[in-house]
Amino acid sequence: MSGTRQTSHPALFMLLMILVGLNLRPALSSLAPVLPRIEAQTGISVGGIGALTTLPVLCLGLFAPLAPWLARRLGAERSLSLALLVLATGLGVRGLASPVWLFTGTFLVGAGIGVAGSLLPALVKRELPAAADLMTGVYTMALCLGGALGAGLSIPLADALHSWPLALVAWAALAITALVAWLTLMPQPTSPAIQHASGGSIRALLHQPLAWQVMILMGLQSSLAYIVFGWLPSLLIARGYDDARAGWMMAASVMVQLVSALAAPWLARLGRDQRPALLLMLSMVATGLSVLLVGPIEWRWAGVALLGLGQGGSFSMALTLIVLRTADSRLAGRLSGLAQGGGYSLAALGPLAVGLMREYDLSLMTINLVLLAIAALAAGFAMLAGRQRRLDTDEQGRLFTRIYH
């Protein structure tokens, strides 16, 4: 990062983070409700639809590790501008509606979101170090709101515009708005040297069990999140709901995430150990999914609420751990790239697995059991990543894990 101007006012930085955060989920959640229409009008097979839902998550994993590299060469601010431009381009390309352009646009969307999402924790740690965990909750709340808007407005937009491709393209306007605001008001660092400090390389991180624990937890809870984004409406339709109702149920669940996304970091601050909060959130996810997929129909809104509370809180906590488990913004940036890169690569297996189970006509009960197994595995890694540990470097720049009480 380069530049000598004063860093932006905290309130302005917060507003920019919220605006950017609003863009990092509609590109994913707006696709799921219209998947039946895409399948019907483009002739893409069920397996192809599964690949389409898996591709953006895989791209998040592939491109998130590029964020620290881009930040060193272009600066985090310009890198985020580039990511928003790629995101807006991908959203526009998807509107061409043919299978080739749908996959191309979705690839670009995943690349843009992967880089932007990986850059934000380090920027938060740099701009607001004393309240980085709470600011992460605000940013996550913006992600959840964007996801809810994408899910809830997808079918109404497609119906109003008489075109699902135009409904997908419409979200490019929000990305362009964020890009213009970021270019105009982007923060500038007061301490450019921080990016050139030694130690804490990705290779060194890979030798720290704590980094693996955070990465795998990120991947497992994200796998459940992207299964919901990619497949929940289709699974609800298989249960007997129409596409509009299924889309609104997913939107309501994502909207509920706003509450726990903001509250989870506060809850984590009540004690020195984040494990109880993580286990509570993951239990809510497991219960909510079970109610929606195989539980009594009359309990569906309780399932929607539990799923939303659990997923908003678990994702917010996973991002907060990146901040809490690192000593400075440089380490936060590198752990963010590793955790989100490796984590999202792992998460991509979730939507792919559900797509395969759907292609082979496996029952909702079987799918639910697989999702419960993922949640249980996530809980196991939460017990490790939630402990009071922090990655730091010594005077010689060597990375180590500090245990603190």
Side-chain angles (χ1 to χ4, degrees):
M1 301 180 192
S2 61
T4 57
R5 289 194 288 118
Q6 181 65 33
T7 304
S8 63
H9 189 278
L12 177 60
F13 175 74
M14 183 180 296
L15 288 173
L16 286 172
M17 287 294 97
I18 290 171
L19 185 56
V20 172
L22 282 172
N23 280 276
L24 302 189
R25 288 299 176 268
L28 307 176
S29 63
S30 63
L31 186 65
V34 297
L35 283 178
R37 302 186 187 192
I38 292 174
E39 185 179 357
Q41 295 182 26
T42 64
I44 299 177
S45 67
V46 174
I49 292 293
L52 191 61
T53 62
T54 302
L55 180 61
V57 189
L58 183 60
C59 288
L60 296 184
L62 292 175
F63 286 92
L66 289 180
W69 181 85
L70 285 171
R72 288 195 300 272
R73 284 154 181 78
L74 303 178
E77 298 77 21
R78 292 188 183 90
S79 298
L80 187 54
S81 300
L82 177 62
L84 288 171
L85 178 60
V86 171
L87 172 60
T89 303
L91 288 166
V93 165
R94 284 205 304 199
L96 297 176
S98 72
V100 170
W101 289 116
L102 275 171
F103 278 93
T104 300
T106 301
F107 176 87
L108 292 173
V109 160
I113 295 173
V115 171
S118 185
L119 289 168
L120 288 172
L123 281 167
V124 169
K125 184 89 172 179
R126 188 194 76 189
E127 296 293 315
L128 299 169
D133 52 344
L134 301 183
M135 182 59 210
T136 300
V138 174
Y139 152 66
T140 309
M141 185 181 69
L143 262 69
C144 296
L145 177 58
L149 292 174
L153 296 178
S154 184
I155 295 296
L157 275 174
D159 290 343
L161 298 171
H162 305 290
S163 167
W164 60 262
L166 289 180
L168 295 179
V169 170
W171 296 102
L174 184 60
I176 292 169
T177 300
L179 175 60
V180 171
W182 184 257
L183 287 172
T184 305
L185 304 169
M186 71 169 68
Q188 294 294 330
T190 55
S191 179
I194 192 170
Q195 288 298 315
H196 304 288
S198 62
S201 67
I202 294 295
R203 180 178 296 179
L205 280 175
L206 289 173
H207 286 88
Q208 298 295 322
L210 178 58
W212 282 91
Q213 292 156 12
V214 172
M215 179 185 74
I216 295 174
L217 173 61
M218 171 66 78
L220 291 170
Q221 67 82 30
S222 294
S223 178
L224 293 170
Y226 289 112
I227 286 169
V228 168
F229 278 130
W231 285 107
L232 183 61
S234 296
L235 295 175
L236 292 175
I237 289 169
R239 215 174 167 200
Y241 299 100
D242 60 50
D243 59 356
R245 175 72 62 89
W248 277 114
M249 287 175 70
M250 184 175 109
S253 179
V254 179
M255 186 66 76
V256 172
Q257 291 182 18
L258 298 175
V259 178
S260 54
L262 188 58
W266 290 89
L267 181 62
R269 277 196 169 193
L270 294 178
R272 292 182 173 273
D273 193 326
Q274 284 76 49
R275 287 177 291 184
L278 283 164
L279 292 178
L280 174 63
M281 300 302 165
L282 289 168
S283 298
M284 288 182 175
V285 172
T287 306
L289 284 170
S290 295
V291 169
L292 288 174
L293 296 184
V294 298
I297 294 290
E298 57 269 22
W299 292 3
R300 63 188 180 277
W301 291 112
V304 163
L306 283 170
L307 179 61
L309 289 171
Q311 290 204 305
S314 60
F315 182 66
S316 182
M317 286 294 302
L319 284 179
T320 299
L321 286 182
I322 294 173
V323 173
L324 293 178
R325 298 295 174 260
T326 50
D328 55 50
S329 64
R330 175 182 52 83
L331 281 174
R334 289 181 177 173
L335 181 59
S336 178
L338 177 65
Q340 296 194 59
Y344 289 141
S345 297
L346 175 62
L349 297 176
L352 179 61
V354 173
L356 290 173
M357 287 189 285
R358 291 282 292 150
E359 187 166 15
Y360 286 101
D361 269 339
L362 297 185
S363 68
L364 290 178
M365 178 63 76
T366 301
I367 293 173
N368 184 62
L369 289 174
V370 172
L371 301 188
L372 290 181
I374 295 172
L377 197 55
F381 278 93
M383 292 297 292
L384 299 171
R387 298 173 298 171
Q388 286 288 69
R389 305 286 190 274
R390 178 174 291 170
L391 295 166
D392 204 346
T393 50
D394 61 20
E395 293 180 356
Q396 286 74 43
R398 292 172 300 199
L399 186 66
F400 70 101
T401 298
R402 182 191 301 276
I403 302 173
Y404 59 102
H405 303 284

